[in-house]
Amino acid sequence: QVQLVESGGGLVQAGGSLRLSCVASRRTFSNYYMAWFRQAPEKAREFVAAINWSGGRTNYADSVKGRFTISRDNAKKMVALQMNSLKPEDTAVYYCAADSTYFGSSIAEYDYWGQGTQVTVSS
Protein backbone atom coordinates (compact mmCIF):
# COMPACT_ATOMS: atom_id res chain seq x y z
CA GLN A 1 0.00 0.00 0.00
CA VAL A 2 1.33 3.42 -0.96
CA GLN A 3 0.88 6.25 1.52
CA LEU A 4 0.71 9.82 0.23
CA VAL A 5 1.10 12.97 2.30
CA GLU A 6 0.47 16.43 0.86
CA SER A 7 1.87 19.68 2.18
CA GLY A 8 2.33 23.29 1.13
CA GLY A 9 -1.22 24.56 1.23
CA GLY A 10 -2.16 27.84 2.82
CA LEU A 11 -3.67 31.27 2.33
CA VAL A 12 -2.49 33.44 -0.54
CA GLN A 13 -3.73 36.57 -2.28
CA ALA A 14 -5.00 36.44 -5.84
CA GLY A 15 -2.09 36.57 -8.26
CA GLY A 16 0.25 34.89 -5.80
CA SER A 17 1.92 31.49 -5.88
CA LEU A 18 2.06 28.30 -3.87
CA ARG A 19 3.98 25.07 -4.29
CA LEU A 20 2.34 21.85 -3.14
CA SER A 21 4.32 18.71 -2.42
CA CYS A 22 3.26 15.09 -2.11
CA VAL A 23 5.61 12.54 -0.58
CA ALA A 24 5.11 8.80 -1.01
CA SER A 25 6.16 6.12 1.44
CA ARG A 26 6.62 3.31 -1.09
CA ARG A 27 9.91 2.17 -2.61
CA THR A 28 8.31 1.70 -6.03
CA PHE A 29 7.19 5.31 -6.32
CA SER A 30 8.81 5.63 -9.74
CA ASN A 31 6.44 3.00 -11.14
CA TYR A 32 3.32 5.04 -10.37
CA TYR A 33 1.46 7.56 -12.41
CA MET A 34 0.75 10.60 -10.24
CA ALA A 35 -1.93 13.25 -10.33
CA TRP A 36 -3.40 16.20 -8.51
CA PHE A 37 -7.12 16.72 -7.98
CA ARG A 38 -9.02 19.37 -6.07
CA GLN A 39 -12.39 19.71 -4.42
CA ALA A 40 -14.11 22.94 -3.47
CA PRO A 41 -16.93 23.06 -0.90
CA GLU A 42 -20.19 21.69 -2.30
CA LYS A 43 -18.39 20.79 -5.54
CA ALA A 44 -17.34 17.52 -7.09
CA ARG A 45 -13.70 16.53 -7.05
CA GLU A 46 -12.03 17.61 -10.29
CA PHE A 47 -8.86 16.81 -12.17
CA VAL A 48 -5.98 19.28 -12.07
CA ALA A 49 -2.86 17.65 -13.51
CA ALA A 50 -1.15 14.30 -14.10
CA ILE A 51 2.39 13.09 -14.76
CA ASN A 52 3.76 9.80 -16.03
CA TRP A 53 6.53 7.59 -14.61
CA SER A 54 9.45 9.41 -16.15
CA GLY A 55 8.00 12.90 -15.88
CA GLY A 56 8.24 13.36 -19.63
CA ARG A 57 4.50 13.43 -20.18
CA THR A 58 2.04 15.70 -18.42
CA ASN A 59 -1.60 16.62 -18.71
CA TYR A 60 -3.49 19.61 -17.34
CA ALA A 61 -7.04 20.72 -16.91
CA ASP A 62 -7.91 23.65 -19.16
CA SER A 63 -8.61 25.81 -16.12
CA VAL A 64 -4.98 25.63 -14.94
CA LYS A 65 -2.98 25.44 -18.19
CA GLY A 66 -0.26 28.05 -18.29
CA ARG A 67 -0.51 28.67 -14.55
CA PHE A 68 0.20 25.32 -12.87
CA THR A 69 3.14 22.98 -13.40
CA ILE A 70 3.33 19.39 -12.21
CA SER A 71 6.72 17.75 -11.70
CA ARG A 72 8.24 14.78 -9.91
CA ASP A 73 11.48 13.71 -8.31
CA ASN A 74 11.57 9.94 -8.10
CA ALA A 75 14.72 9.88 -5.99
CA LYS A 76 12.89 11.91 -3.35
CA LYS A 77 9.60 10.05 -3.90
CA MET A 78 7.93 13.38 -4.42
CA VAL A 79 5.50 15.00 -6.83
CA ALA A 80 4.98 18.76 -6.81
CA LEU A 81 2.42 21.21 -8.10
CA GLN A 82 3.69 24.73 -8.69
CA MET A 83 0.71 27.09 -8.77
CA ASN A 84 1.18 30.59 -10.15
CA SER A 85 -1.24 33.42 -10.85
CA LEU A 86 -3.69 31.97 -8.38
CA LYS A 87 -7.34 32.94 -8.60
CA PRO A 88 -10.10 32.80 -5.97
CA GLU A 89 -11.72 29.98 -7.94
CA ASP A 90 -8.61 27.88 -7.26
CA THR A 91 -9.66 27.68 -3.62
CA ALA A 92 -10.11 24.01 -2.74
CA VAL A 93 -8.67 21.05 -0.93
CA TYR A 94 -5.94 19.64 -3.16
CA TYR A 95 -5.36 15.89 -3.23
CA CYS A 96 -2.42 13.86 -4.46
CA ALA A 97 -3.32 10.59 -6.19
CA ALA A 98 -1.40 7.60 -7.52
CA ASP A 99 -2.01 4.55 -9.68
CA SER A 100 0.25 1.85 -11.06
CA THR A 101 -1.38 1.53 -14.49
CA TYR A 102 -3.59 4.55 -15.20
CA PHE A 103 -2.61 7.88 -16.68
CA GLY A 104 -5.54 10.25 -17.04
CA SER A 105 -8.14 12.46 -15.44
CA SER A 106 -10.70 10.00 -14.06
CA ILE A 107 -10.84 9.98 -10.26
CA ALA A 108 -12.32 6.47 -10.25
CA GLU A 109 -9.14 5.02 -11.77
CA TYR A 110 -6.75 6.16 -9.05
CA ASP A 111 -6.22 3.67 -6.25
CA TYR A 112 -4.32 5.78 -3.73
CA TRP A 113 -5.06 9.20 -2.28
CA GLY A 114 -3.51 11.58 0.18
CA GLN A 115 -5.38 13.35 2.96
CA GLY A 116 -5.51 16.67 1.13
CA THR A 117 -4.13 20.12 1.78
CA GLN A 118 -6.20 23.31 1.87
CA VAL A 119 -5.49 26.10 -0.59
CA THR A 120 -7.33 29.38 -0.05
CA VAL A 121 -6.97 32.28 -2.48
CA SER A 122 -8.31 35.63 -1.32
CA SER A 123 -9.50 38.37 -3.64
Side-chain angles (χ1 to χ4, degrees):
Q1 183 87 342
V2 59
Q3 303 292 323
L4 305 174
V5 180
E6 303 98 331
S7 63
L11 175 64
V12 64
Q13 291 185 337
S17 299
L18 283 174
R19 184 176 178 87
L20 306 183
S21 296
C22 173
V23 178
S25 62
R26 212 167 191 271
R27 302 181 194 275
T28 56
F29 173 81
S30 62
N31 293 328
Y32 284 82
Y33 299 103
M34 303 295 296
W36 287 95
F37 292 80
R38 66 187 182 185
Q39 187 167 19
E42 307 297 329
K43 302 289 187 179
R45 190 168 300 184
E46 65 177 0
F47 171 76
V48 176
I51 190 166
N52 73 337
W53 294 350
S54 68
R57 183 181 178 189
T58 58
N59 190 30
Y60 297 92
D62 289 341
S63 60
V64 306
K65 285 181 179 177
R67 300 189 298 121
F68 291 10
T69 302
I70 188 171
S71 62
R72 69 190 297 165
D73 186 335
N74 291 338
K76 298 180 179 179
K77 303 183 186 300
M78 184 271 290
V79 61
L81 184 69
Q82 178 66 44
M83 305 185 295
N84 298 326
S85 301
L86 283 163
K87 305 174 181 179
E89 52 262 44
D90 295 320
T91 296
V93 176
Y94 283 71
Y95 296 91
C96 178
D99 194 85
S100 62
T101 61
Y102 179 74
F103 177 79
S105 60
S106 177
I107 61 172
E109 297 291 342
Y110 286 88
D111 290 332
Y112 306 104
W113 296 84
Q115 83 288 347
T117 185
Q118 177 71 48
V119 172
T120 303
V121 184
S122 63
S123 60

